Coordinates of all heavy atoms in Angstrom, one line a residue:
M1 N 100.8 -29.0 95.1 CA 101.1 -28.3 93.9 C 102.3 -29.0 93.2 O 102.3 -29.0 92.0 CB 101.5 -26.8 94.3 CG 101.8 -26.0 93.1 SD 100.5 -25.9 92.0 CE 100.3 -24.2 91.7
I2 N 103.2 -29.5 94.0 CA 104.4 -30.2 93.4 C 103.9 -31.4 92.6 O 104.4 -31.7 91.5 CB 105.4 -30.5 94.4 CG1 106.1 -29.2 95.0 CG2 106.5 -31.5 93.9 CD1 107.0 -29.4 96.2
T3 N 103.0 -32.1 93.2 CA 102.5 -33.3 92.6 C 101.7 -33.0 91.3 O 101.9 -33.6 90.2 CB 101.5 -34.1 93.5 OG1 102.2 -34.5 94.7 CG2 100.9 -35.3 92.8
L4 N 101.0 -31.9 91.3 CA 100.3 -31.4 90.1 C 101.2 -31.1 89.0 O 101.0 -31.4 87.8 CB 99.4 -30.2 90.4 CG 98.6 -29.6 89.3 CD1 97.6 -30.6 88.7 CD2 97.9 -28.4 89.7
I5 N 102.3 -30.4 89.3 CA 103.3 -30.1 88.3 C 103.9 -31.4 87.7 O 104.0 -31.5 86.5 CB 104.5 -29.3 88.9 CG1 104.0 -27.9 89.3 CG2 105.7 -29.2 88.0 CD1 104.9 -27.0 90.1
G6 N 104.2 -32.4 88.5 CA 104.7 -33.7 88.0 C 103.7 -34.4 87.1 O 104.0 -34.9 86.1
V7 N 102.4 -34.4 87.5 CA 101.4 -35.0 86.7 C 101.2 -34.3 85.4 O 101.1 -35.0 84.3 CB 100.0 -35.0 87.5 CG1 98.9 -35.4 86.6 CG2 100.1 -36.0 88.7
V8 N 101.2 -33.0 85.4 CA 101.1 -32.2 84.1 C 102.3 -32.5 83.2 O 102.2 -32.7 82.0 CB 100.9 -30.7 84.4 CG1 101.0 -29.9 83.1 CG2 99.5 -30.5 85.1
A9 N 103.5 -32.5 83.8 CA 104.7 -32.8 83.1 C 104.7 -34.2 82.5 O 105.0 -34.3 81.3 CB 105.9 -32.6 84.0
A10 N 104.3 -35.1 83.2 CA 104.3 -36.5 82.7 C 103.2 -36.7 81.6 O 103.5 -37.3 80.6 CB 103.9 -37.5 83.9
T11 N 102.1 -36.0 81.8 CA 101.0 -36.1 80.8 C 101.5 -35.4 79.5 O 101.3 -36.0 78.4 CB 99.8 -35.3 81.3 OG1 99.3 -36.0 82.5 CG2 98.6 -35.4 80.3
C12 N 102.1 -34.3 79.6 CA 102.6 -33.6 78.4 C 103.7 -34.4 77.6 O 103.6 -34.6 76.4 CB 103.2 -32.2 78.7 SG 102.0 -31.0 79.2
T13 N 104.6 -34.9 78.3 CA 105.7 -35.7 77.7 C 105.2 -37.0 77.1 O 105.6 -37.5 76.1 CB 106.9 -36.0 78.6 OG1 106.4 -36.6 79.8 CG2 107.6 -34.7 79.0
T14 N 104.2 -37.6 77.8 CA 103.6 -38.9 77.3 C 102.8 -38.7 76.1 O 102.9 -39.4 75.1 CB 102.8 -39.5 78.4 OG1 103.7 -39.8 79.5 CG2 102.2 -40.8 78.0
I15 N 101.9 -37.7 76.1 CA 101.0 -37.5 75.0 C 101.6 -36.8 73.8 O 101.1 -36.8 72.7 CB 99.6 -36.8 75.4 CG1 99.9 -35.4 75.8 CG2 98.9 -37.6 76.4 CD1 98.6 -34.6 76.0
S16 N 102.8 -36.3 74.0 CA 103.5 -35.7 72.9 C 103.8 -36.6 71.7 O 104.0 -36.2 70.6 CB 104.8 -35.0 73.4 OG 105.8 -36.1 73.7
F17 N 103.8 -37.9 71.9 CA 104.0 -38.9 70.9 C 102.8 -39.2 70.1 O 102.9 -39.7 69.0 CB 104.6 -40.2 71.5 CG 106.0 -40.1 72.0 CD1 106.2 -39.7 73.3 CD2 107.0 -40.3 71.2 CE1 107.5 -39.5 73.7 CE2 108.3 -40.2 71.6 CZ 108.6 -39.8 72.9
V18 N 101.6 -38.9 70.6 CA 100.3 -39.2 69.9 C 100.2 -38.6 68.6 O 99.9 -39.2 67.6 CB 99.1 -38.9 70.8 CG1 97.8 -39.1 70.1 CG2 99.1 -39.8 72.1
P19 N 100.5 -37.3 68.4 CA 100.4 -36.6 67.1 C 101.4 -37.3 66.1 O 101.0 -37.4 64.9 CB 100.8 -35.2 67.3 CG 100.5 -34.9 68.8 CD 100.8 -36.2 69.4
Q20 N 102.5 -37.7 66.5 CA 103.5 -38.4 65.5 C 102.9 -39.7 65.1 O 102.9 -40.0 63.9 CB 104.8 -38.6 66.2 CG 105.9 -39.2 65.3 CD 106.3 -38.1 64.2 OE1 106.9 -37.1 64.6 NE2 105.9 -38.3 63.0
V21 N 102.3 -40.5 66.0 CA 101.7 -41.8 65.6 C 100.6 -41.6 64.6 O 100.5 -42.2 63.6 CB 101.3 -42.6 66.9 CG1 100.5 -43.8 66.5 CG2 102.5 -42.9 67.7
I22 N 99.7 -40.6 64.9 CA 98.6 -40.3 64.1 C 99.0 -39.8 62.7 O 98.5 -40.3 61.7 CB 97.7 -39.3 64.7 CG1 97.0 -39.9 66.0 CG2 96.6 -38.8 63.8 CD1 96.2 -38.9 66.8
Q23 N 100.0 -39.0 62.7 CA 100.6 -38.4 61.4 C 101.1 -39.6 60.5 O 100.9 -39.6 59.3 CB 101.7 -37.4 61.7 CG 102.3 -36.8 60.5 CD 101.3 -35.8 59.8 OE1 100.3 -35.4 60.4 NE2 101.7 -35.3 58.6
I24 N 101.8 -40.5 61.1 CA 102.4 -41.6 60.4 C 101.3 -42.5 59.8 O 101.3 -42.9 58.7 CB 103.4 -42.4 61.2 CG1 104.6 -41.6 61.5 CG2 103.8 -43.7 60.5 CD1 105.6 -42.3 62.5
Q25 N 100.3 -42.8 60.7 CA 99.2 -43.6 60.2 C 98.4 -42.9 59.1 O 98.0 -43.6 58.2 CB 98.2 -43.9 61.4 CG 98.8 -44.9 62.4 CD 97.9 -45.2 63.6 OE1 97.2 -44.3 64.0 NE2 98.0 -46.4 64.1
K26 N 98.2 -41.6 59.2 CA 97.4 -40.9 58.1 C 98.2 -40.8 56.8 O 97.6 -41.1 55.8 CB 97.1 -39.5 58.6 CG 95.9 -39.5 59.5 CD 95.6 -38.0 59.9 CE 94.4 -37.9 60.8 NZ 94.1 -36.5 61.1
T27 N 99.4 -40.4 56.9 CA 100.2 -40.1 55.7 C 101.1 -41.2 55.2 O 101.5 -41.1 54.0 CB 101.1 -38.8 55.9 OG1 102.1 -39.1 56.9 CG2 100.2 -37.6 56.4
R28 N 101.5 -42.1 56.1 CA 102.5 -43.1 55.8 C 103.9 -42.5 55.4 O 104.7 -43.2 54.8 CB 102.0 -44.0 54.6 CG 100.8 -44.8 54.9 CD 101.1 -45.9 55.9 NE 99.9 -46.7 56.2 CZ 99.5 -47.1 57.4 NH1 100.3 -46.8 58.4 NH2 98.5 -47.8 57.6
N29 N 104.0 -41.2 55.7 CA 105.3 -40.6 55.4 C 106.2 -40.7 56.7 O 105.9 -40.1 57.7 CB 105.1 -39.1 55.1 CG 106.3 -38.4 54.8 OD1 107.4 -38.9 54.9 ND2 106.2 -37.1 54.4
V30 N 107.3 -41.4 56.5 CA 108.2 -41.6 57.6 C 109.6 -41.1 57.3 O 110.6 -41.4 58.0 CB 108.3 -43.1 58.0 CG1 107.0 -43.6 58.6 CG2 108.7 -44.0 56.9
S31 N 109.7 -40.3 56.2 CA 111.0 -39.8 55.8 C 111.7 -38.9 56.8 O 112.9 -38.9 56.8 CB 110.8 -39.0 54.4 OG 110.0 -37.9 54.7
G32 N 111.0 -38.3 57.6 CA 111.6 -37.4 58.6 C 111.9 -38.1 60.0 O 112.3 -37.4 60.9
I33 N 111.6 -39.3 60.1 CA 111.7 -40.0 61.4 C 113.1 -40.6 61.5 O 113.6 -41.3 60.6 CB 110.7 -41.2 61.5 CG1 109.3 -40.7 61.3 CG2 110.9 -42.0 62.8 CD1 108.8 -39.7 62.4
S34 N 113.8 -40.2 62.6 CA 115.1 -40.8 62.8 C 115.0 -42.0 63.7 O 114.7 -41.9 64.9 CB 116.0 -39.7 63.5 OG 117.2 -40.3 64.1
L35 N 115.3 -43.2 63.2 CA 115.2 -44.4 64.0 C 116.2 -44.4 65.1 O 116.0 -45.0 66.2 CB 115.3 -45.6 63.1 CG 114.1 -45.9 62.3 CD1 114.3 -47.1 61.3 CD2 112.9 -46.2 63.2
S36 N 117.4 -43.9 64.8 CA 118.4 -43.9 65.9 C 118.0 -43.0 67.1 O 118.1 -43.4 68.2 CB 119.8 -43.4 65.4 OG 119.7 -42.1 64.8
M37 N 117.4 -41.9 66.8 CA 116.9 -41.0 67.9 C 115.8 -41.7 68.6 O 115.8 -41.7 69.9 CB 116.3 -39.7 67.3 CG 115.7 -38.8 68.3 SD 113.9 -39.2 68.4 CE 113.3 -37.9 69.4
Y38 N 114.8 -42.3 67.9 CA 113.7 -43.0 68.6 C 114.2 -44.2 69.3 O 113.7 -44.6 70.4 CB 112.6 -43.4 67.6 CG 111.6 -42.3 67.5 CD1 111.6 -41.3 66.6 CD2 110.5 -42.3 68.5 CE1 110.7 -40.3 66.5 CE2 109.5 -41.3 68.4 CZ 109.6 -40.3 67.4 OH 108.7 -39.3 67.4
G39 N 115.2 -44.9 68.8 CA 115.8 -46.1 69.5 C 116.5 -45.7 70.8 O 116.3 -46.3 71.8
I40 N 117.2 -44.6 70.8 CA 117.9 -44.1 72.0 C 116.9 -43.6 73.0 O 116.9 -44.0 74.2 CB 118.9 -43.0 71.7 CG1 120.1 -43.6 70.9 CG2 119.4 -42.4 73.0 CD1 120.9 -42.5 70.2
L41 N 115.9 -42.9 72.5 CA 114.8 -42.4 73.4 C 114.0 -43.5 74.0 O 113.8 -43.5 75.2 CB 113.9 -41.5 72.6 CG 112.7 -41.0 73.4 CD1 113.1 -39.8 74.3 CD2 111.5 -40.6 72.5
T42 N 113.7 -44.5 73.2 CA 112.9 -45.6 73.7 C 113.7 -46.4 74.8 O 113.1 -46.9 75.8 CB 112.4 -46.5 72.6 OG1 111.7 -45.7 71.6 CG2 111.5 -47.6 73.0
T43 N 115.0 -46.6 74.5 CA 115.8 -47.2 75.5 C 115.8 -46.5 76.8 O 115.6 -47.1 77.9 CB 117.3 -47.4 75.0 OG1 117.3 -48.1 73.8 CG2 118.2 -48.0 76.0
G44 N 116.0 -45.1 76.8 CA 115.9 -44.3 78.0 C 114.6 -44.4 78.7 O 114.5 -44.5 79.9
V45 N 113.5 -44.3 77.9 CA 112.2 -44.4 78.5 C 112.0 -45.8 79.2 O 111.4 -45.9 80.2 CB 111.1 -44.1 77.4 CG1 109.7 -44.5 77.9 CG2 111.1 -42.7 77.0
G46 N 112.4 -46.8 78.5 CA 112.4 -48.2 79.1 C 113.1 -48.3 80.4 O 112.6 -48.9 81.3
L47 N 114.3 -47.7 80.4 CA 115.0 -47.7 81.7 C 114.3 -46.9 82.8 O 114.3 -47.3 84.0 CB 116.4 -47.1 81.4 CG 117.3 -48.1 80.6 CD1 118.6 -47.4 80.2 CD2 117.6 -49.4 81.4
W48 N 113.7 -45.7 82.4 CA 112.9 -45.0 83.4 C 111.7 -45.8 83.9 O 111.4 -45.8 85.1 CB 112.4 -43.7 82.8 CG 113.4 -42.5 82.9 CD1 114.0 -41.9 81.8 CD2 113.8 -41.9 84.1 NE1 114.8 -40.9 82.3 CE2 114.7 -40.8 83.7 CE3 113.6 -42.1 85.4 CZ2 115.3 -40.0 84.6 CZ3 114.2 -41.2 86.3 CH2 115.1 -40.2 85.9
M49 N 111.1 -46.5 83.0 CA 110.0 -47.4 83.4 C 110.5 -48.5 84.4 O 109.9 -48.7 85.4 CB 109.5 -48.1 82.1 CG 108.3 -49.0 82.3 SD 107.6 -49.6 80.8 CE 109.0 -50.6 80.1
L50 N 111.6 -49.1 84.1 CA 112.2 -50.1 85.0 C 112.6 -49.4 86.3 O 112.3 -50.0 87.4 CB 113.5 -50.7 84.4 CG 114.2 -51.7 85.2 CD1 113.4 -52.9 85.6 CD2 115.5 -52.1 84.5
Y51 N 113.1 -48.3 86.3 CA 113.5 -47.5 87.5 C 112.2 -47.3 88.4 O 112.2 -47.5 89.6 CB 114.1 -46.2 87.1 CG 114.4 -45.3 88.3 CD1 115.5 -45.5 89.1 CD2 113.6 -44.2 88.5 CE1 115.7 -44.6 90.2 CE2 113.8 -43.3 89.6 CZ 114.9 -43.5 90.4 OH 115.1 -42.7 91.5
G52 N 111.1 -46.8 87.7 CA 109.9 -46.6 88.4 C 109.4 -47.8 89.1 O 108.9 -47.8 90.2
F53 N 109.5 -48.9 88.4 CA 109.1 -50.2 88.9 C 109.9 -50.7 90.1 O 109.4 -51.1 91.1 CB 109.1 -51.3 87.8 CG 108.7 -52.7 88.3 CD1 107.4 -53.0 88.4 CD2 109.7 -53.6 88.5 CE1 107.1 -54.3 88.8 CE2 109.4 -54.9 89.0 CZ 108.0 -55.2 89.1
L54 N 111.2 -50.5 89.9 CA 112.1 -51.0 91.0 C 112.0 -50.1 92.3 O 112.2 -50.7 93.4 CB 113.6 -50.9 90.5 CG 113.9 -52.0 89.4 CD1 115.3 -51.7 88.9 CD2 113.8 -53.4 90.0
I55 N 111.7 -48.8 92.2 CA 111.6 -48.0 93.4 C 110.1 -48.0 93.8 O 109.7 -47.2 94.7 CB 112.1 -46.6 93.2 CG1 111.3 -45.8 92.1 CG2 113.6 -46.6 92.9 CD1 111.7 -44.3 92.2
R56 N 109.3 -48.7 93.1 CA 107.8 -48.8 93.4 C 107.1 -47.5 93.3 O 106.2 -47.1 94.1 CB 107.6 -49.5 94.7 CG 108.0 -50.9 94.8 CD 107.7 -51.6 96.1 NE 107.9 -53.0 96.1 CZ 109.0 -53.6 96.2 NH1 110.1 -53.0 96.3 NH2 109.1 -54.9 96.2
D57 N 107.5 -46.7 92.3 CA 106.8 -45.4 92.0 C 106.0 -45.6 90.8 O 106.4 -45.6 89.6 CB 107.9 -44.3 91.8 CG 107.3 -42.9 91.6 OD1 106.1 -42.8 91.1 OD2 107.9 -41.9 91.9
M58 N 104.7 -45.9 91.0 CA 103.8 -46.3 89.9 C 103.5 -45.1 89.0 O 103.3 -45.4 87.8 CB 102.5 -46.9 90.5 CG 102.7 -48.3 91.1 SD 103.4 -49.5 90.0 CE 105.1 -49.7 90.7
A59 N 103.6 -43.9 89.4 CA 103.4 -42.8 88.5 C 104.6 -42.7 87.5 O 104.3 -42.6 86.3 CB 103.4 -41.5 89.3
V60 N 105.8 -42.9 87.9 CA 106.9 -42.9 87.0 C 106.8 -44.2 86.1 O 107.0 -44.1 84.9 CB 108.3 -43.0 87.8 CG1 109.5 -43.2 86.9 CG2 108.5 -41.7 88.6
F61 N 106.5 -45.3 86.7 CA 106.4 -46.5 85.9 C 105.3 -46.4 84.8 O 105.6 -46.6 83.6 CB 106.0 -47.7 86.8 CG 105.7 -49.0 86.0 CD1 106.7 -49.7 85.4 CD2 104.4 -49.4 85.9 CE1 106.5 -50.8 84.7 CE2 104.1 -50.5 85.1 CZ 105.2 -51.3 84.6
F62 N 104.1 -46.0 85.1 CA 103.0 -46.0 84.1 C 103.2 -44.8 83.1 O 102.9 -45.1 81.9 CB 101.6 -45.9 84.8 CG 101.2 -47.2 85.4 CD1 101.1 -47.4 86.8 CD2 100.9 -48.3 84.6 CE1 100.7 -48.6 87.3 CE2 100.6 -49.5 85.1 CZ 100.4 -49.7 86.4
A63 N 103.7 -43.7 83.5 CA 103.9 -42.6 82.5 C 104.9 -43.1 81.5 O 104.7 -42.9 80.3 CB 104.4 -41.4 83.3
N64 N 105.9 -43.8 81.9 CA 107.0 -44.3 81.0 C 106.5 -45.5 80.2 O 106.9 -45.7 79.1 CB 108.3 -44.5 81.7 CG 109.0 -43.2 82.0 OD1 109.5 -42.5 81.1 ND2 108.9 -42.7 83.3
L65 N 105.6 -46.3 80.8 CA 105.1 -47.4 80.1 C 104.3 -46.9 78.9 O 104.4 -47.5 77.8 CB 104.2 -48.3 81.0 CG 103.4 -49.4 80.4 CD1 104.4 -50.5 79.9 CD2 102.4 -50.0 81.4
I66 N 103.5 -45.9 79.1 CA 102.7 -45.4 78.0 C 103.6 -44.7 77.0 O 103.4 -44.9 75.7 CB 101.6 -44.4 78.5 CG1 100.6 -45.2 79.4 CG2 100.9 -43.7 77.4 CD1 99.7 -44.3 80.3
T67 N 104.5 -44.0 77.4 CA 105.5 -43.3 76.5 C 106.2 -44.4 75.7 O 106.4 -44.2 74.5 CB 106.4 -42.4 77.3 OG1 105.7 -41.5 78.0 CG2 107.4 -41.7 76.3
F68 N 106.7 -45.4 76.4 CA 107.4 -46.5 75.7 C 106.5 -47.1 74.6 O 107.0 -47.4 73.5 CB 107.8 -47.6 76.8 CG 108.6 -48.7 76.2 CD1 110.0 -48.6 76.1 CD2 108.0 -49.9 75.8 CE1 110.7 -49.7 75.6 CE2 108.7 -51.0 75.3 CZ 110.1 -50.8 75.2
A69 N 105.3 -47.4 74.9 CA 104.4 -48.0 73.9 C 104.2 -47.1 72.7 O 104.2 -47.5 71.6 CB 103.0 -48.3 74.6
L70 N 104.0 -45.8 73.0 CA 103.9 -44.8 71.8 C 105.1 -44.7 71.0 O 105.1 -44.7 69.8 CB 103.4 -43.5 72.4 CG 102.0 -43.4 72.9 CD1 101.7 -42.2 73.7 CD2 101.0 -43.6 71.8
A71 N 106.3 -44.7 71.7 CA 107.5 -44.6 70.9 C 107.8 -45.8 70.1 O 108.3 -45.8 69.0 CB 108.7 -44.3 71.9
M72 N 107.4 -47.0 70.7 CA 107.6 -48.2 70.0 C 106.6 -48.3 68.8 O 106.9 -48.8 67.7 CB 107.3 -49.4 70.9 CG 108.5 -49.8 71.8 SD 110.0 -50.2 70.9 CE 109.5 -51.6 70.0
A73 N 105.5 -47.7 68.9 CA 104.5 -47.6 67.8 C 105.2 -46.8 66.6 O 105.0 -47.2 65.5 CB 103.2 -46.9 68.2
V74 N 105.8 -45.7 67.0 CA 106.5 -44.9 65.9 C 107.6 -45.7 65.3 O 107.7 -45.7 64.0 CB 107.1 -43.6 66.5 CG1 108.0 -42.9 65.5 CG2 106.0 -42.6 67.0
I75 N 108.4 -46.4 66.1 CA 109.4 -47.2 65.5 C 108.8 -48.3 64.6 O 109.3 -48.5 63.5 CB 110.3 -47.8 66.6 CG1 111.1 -46.8 67.3 CG2 111.2 -49.0 66.1 CD1 111.9 -47.2 68.6
T76 N 107.8 -49.0 65.1 CA 107.2 -50.1 64.3 C 106.6 -49.6 63.0 O 106.8 -50.2 62.0 CB 106.2 -50.8 65.2 OG1 106.8 -51.3 66.4 CG2 105.5 -52.0 64.5
L77 N 105.8 -48.5 63.1 CA 105.2 -48.0 61.9 C 106.3 -47.5 60.9 O 106.2 -47.7 59.7 CB 104.3 -46.8 62.2 CG 103.0 -47.2 63.0 CD1 102.3 -45.9 63.5 CD2 102.1 -48.0 62.0
T78 N 107.4 -46.9 61.4 CA 108.4 -46.5 60.5 C 109.1 -47.6 59.8 O 109.3 -47.6 58.6 CB 109.5 -45.6 61.3 OG1 108.8 -44.5 61.9 CG2 110.6 -45.1 60.4
V79 N 109.5 -48.6 60.6 CA 110.2 -49.8 60.0 C 109.3 -50.5 59.0 O 109.7 -50.8 57.9 CB 110.6 -50.8 61.1 CG1 111.1 -52.1 60.5 CG2 111.7 -50.1 61.9
K80 N 108.0 -50.7 59.3 CA 107.0 -51.3 58.4 C 106.9 -50.5 57.1 O 106.9 -51.1 56.0 CB 105.7 -51.5 59.1 CG 105.6 -52.6 60.0 CD 104.2 -52.7 60.7 CE 103.1 -53.0 59.7 NZ 101.8 -53.1 60.3
E81 N 106.8 -49.2 57.2 CA 106.6 -48.4 56.0 C 107.9 -48.4 55.2 O 107.8 -48.5 54.0 CB 106.2 -47.0 56.4 CG 105.8 -46.1 55.3 CD 104.5 -46.6 54.6 OE1 103.7 -47.3 55.2 OE2 104.4 -46.4 53.4
R82 N 109.0 -48.3 55.8 CA 110.3 -48.3 55.0 C 110.5 -49.6 54.4 O 111.0 -49.7 53.2 CB 111.5 -47.9 55.9 CG 111.4 -46.4 56.3 CD 112.6 -46.0 57.1 NE 112.5 -44.6 57.4 CZ 113.2 -43.9 58.3 NH1 114.2 -44.6 58.9 NH2 113.0 -42.6 58.5
L83 N 110.1 -50.7 55.0 CA 110.3 -52.1 54.4 C 109.3 -52.2 53.2 O 109.6 -52.7 52.2 CB 110.0 -53.2 55.4 CG 111.1 -53.4 56.4 CD1 110.7 -54.4 57.4 CD2 112.4 -53.9 55.7
S84 N 108.1 -51.6 53.4 CA 107.1 -51.6 52.3 C 107.6 -50.8 51.1 O 107.5 -51.3 50.0 CB 105.8 -51.1 52.8 OG 104.8 -51.0 51.8
L85 N 108.2 -49.7 51.4 CA 108.7 -48.9 50.3 C 109.9 -49.5 49.6 O 110.0 -49.5 48.4 CB 109.1 -47.5 50.8 CG 108.0 -46.6 51.2 CD1 108.6 -45.3 51.9 CD2 107.2 -46.1 50.1
A86 N 110.7 -50.2 50.3 CA 111.9 -50.9 49.8 C 111.4 -52.1 48.9 O 112.0 -52.3 47.8 CB 112.8 -51.4 50.9
K87 N 110.3 -52.8 49.3 CA 109.8 -53.8 48.4 C 109.2 -53.3 47.2 O 109.4 -53.9 46.1 CB 108.7 -54.6 49.2 CG 109.3 -55.5 50.3 CD 108.2 -56.2 51.0 CE 108.7 -57.0 52.2 NZ 107.7 -57.7 52.9
K88 N 108.6 -52.2 47.2 CA 108.0 -51.5 46.0 C 109.1 -51.2 45.0 O 109.0 -51.3 43.8 CB 107.2 -50.3 46.4 CG 105.9 -50.6 47.0 CD 105.1 -49.4 47.4 CE 103.9 -49.7 48.2 NZ 103.2 -48.5 48.7
V89 N 110.2 -50.6 45.6 CA 111.3 -50.2 44.7 C 111.9 -51.5 44.1 O 112.2 -51.5 42.9 CB 112.4 -49.5 45.5 CG1 113.7 -49.3 44.7 CG2 111.8 -48.1 46.0
V90 N 112.1 -52.6 44.8 CA 112.7 -53.8 44.3 C 111.8 -54.3 43.2 O 112.3 -54.8 42.1 CB 112.9 -54.8 45.4 CG1 113.2 -56.2 44.8 CG2 114.0 -54.4 46.3
H91 N 110.5 -54.3 43.4 CA 109.6 -54.9 42.4 C 109.5 -54.0 41.1 O 109.2 -54.5 40.0 CB 108.2 -55.0 43.0 CG 108.1 -56.1 43.9 ND1 108.5 -57.4 43.7 CD2 107.6 -56.1 45.2 CE1 108.3 -58.2 44.7 NE2 107.8 -57.4 45.7
Q92 N 109.8 -52.7 41.2 CA 109.8 -51.8 40.1 C 111.1 -52.0 39.2 O 111.1 -51.6 38.0 CB 109.7 -50.4 40.5 CG 108.3 -50.0 41.1 CD 108.3 -48.6 41.6 OE1 109.3 -47.9 41.6 NE2 107.1 -48.2 42.0
V93 N 112.1 -52.5 39.8 CA 113.4 -52.7 39.1 C 113.4 -53.9 38.2 O 112.8 -54.7 37.9 CB 114.6 -52.7 40.1 CG1 115.9 -53.0 39.3 CG2 114.7 -51.5 40.8

């Protein structure tokens, strides 16, 4: 039962990023995304991933690896979209 709780918790926290990635891809609206929050979160997740690797806990490692990839997708999409918008503004001036 304890393992099941851990698996469900890891699944929920990992897939929680999927709707954000999909929303950004669909709308290209990144105005509400805080890069500092995602940067801090991604750093923490990366450290959890490293921790899981170092203690050889593959459940911790892989859950955080997937979360890390999804959080990086949000960061990457946000930066790309903001740079694209900035270029459009410069060209209009």
Side-chain angles (χ1 to χ4, degrees):
M1 185 57 132
I2 293 172
T3 301
L4 179 61
I5 291 169
V7 168
V8 172
T11 301
C12 288
T13 56
T14 298
I15 66 171
S16 69
F17 289 88
V18 173
Q20 186 70 68
V21 172
I22 292 170
Q23 181 75 10
I24 292 171
Q25 288 178 327
K26 281 183 178 179
T27 67
R28 298 289 184 220
N29 181 355
V30 295
S31 62
I33 302 296
S34 168
L35 285 176
S36 58
M37 174 269 186
Y38 269 93
I40 294 166
L41 175 79
T42 305
T43 300
V45 168
L47 291 170
W48 273 116
M49 183 176 61
L50 178 61
Y51 173 77
F53 178 79
L54 292 174
I55 66 167
R56 292 182 170 83
D57 186 330
M58 291 302 107
V60 171
F61 173 75
F62 283 114
N64 285 287
L65 175 66
I66 296 166
T67 304
F68 184 84
L70 291 167
M72 282 302 297
V74 171
I75 290 171
T76 302
L77 290 168
T78 300
V79 169
K80 282 178 63 177
E81 191 60 30
R82 288 184 182 170
L83 288 173
S84 176
L85 289 171
K87 286 180 185 177
K88 288 177 185 176
V89 169
V90 168
H91 289 307
Q92 289 177 355
V93 173

